[in-house]
């Protein structure tokens, strides 16, 4: 059975490639459609191109679509994955504390 999976925040260069690798390895998802949705059209375009190249190169049966229209992306979706960063990348940069990275990796 083919599914429609929508990734809200599909322009993420952190989460989307990792999710795509998992989707491509799944026999259960063969024939499914992955819809990438993001408010950032440029980031979305980059991930759309990357995902289509990955699918083509690996020869898997997945269809990749992309849109900046959240409502459109949800129509008919069997599964929705939210991979968003509230405030976008600017928020990450403004709130990033160098000590947090050190503590995260245990480099004390």
């Amino acid at each position: 059975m083919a599914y429609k999976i929508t990734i809200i925040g599909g322009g993420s260069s952190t989460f989307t490639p990792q999710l795509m690798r998992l989707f491509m390895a799944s026999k259960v998802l063969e024939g499914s459609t992955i819809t990438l949705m993001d408010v950032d059209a440029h980031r979305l375009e980059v991930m759309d191109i990357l995902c289509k190249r990955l699918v083509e190169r690996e020869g898997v049966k997945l269809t990749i679509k992309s849109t900046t229209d959240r409502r459109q992306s949800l129509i008919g979706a069997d599964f929705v994955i939210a991979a968003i960063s509230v405030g976008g990348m600017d928020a990450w940069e403004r709130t990033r504390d160098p000590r947090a990275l050190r503590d995260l990796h245990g480099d004390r």
Side-chain angles (χ1 to χ4, degrees):
M1 177 178 182
Y3 298 100
K4 178 181 177 186
I5 301 170
T6 294
I7 304 173
I8 304 293
S12 169
S13 59
T14 302
F15 299 110
T16 301
Q18 293 177 38
L19 289 170
M20 285 304 301
R21 289 274 182 211
L22 293 170
F23 297 157
M24 292 187 312
S26 173
K27 293 287 183 196
V28 173
L29 296 180
E30 197 169 284
S32 294
T33 298
I34 310 300
T35 301
L36 308 176
M37 182 277 150
D38 205 292
V39 296
D40 186 321
H42 175 70
R43 292 174 58 89
L44 180 63
E45 180 182 14
V46 170
M47 285 300 103
D48 181 68
I49 291 168
L50 174 69
C51 291
K52 287 177 179 173
R53 285 183 183 170
L54 286 171
V55 165
E56 183 179 339
R57 187 184 79 201
E58 298 296 322
V60 295
K61 294 179 182 171
L62 289 174
T63 301
I64 307 298
K65 296 184 177 182
S66 65
T67 181
T68 56
D69 185 330
R70 181 180 43 86
R71 289 179 188 257
Q72 183 65 34
S73 75
L74 296 172
I75 296 173
D78 297 296
F79 301 97
V80 177
I81 298 170
I84 63 167
S85 171
V86 176
M89 295 306 290
D90 290 339
W92 282 62
E93 289 299 319
R94 283 193 309 265
T95 61
R96 185 173 62 179
D97 179 349
R99 294 172 301 188
L101 291 175
R102 183 186 69 232
D103 292 345
L104 176 66
H105 295 289
D107 299 334
R108 294 178 189 216

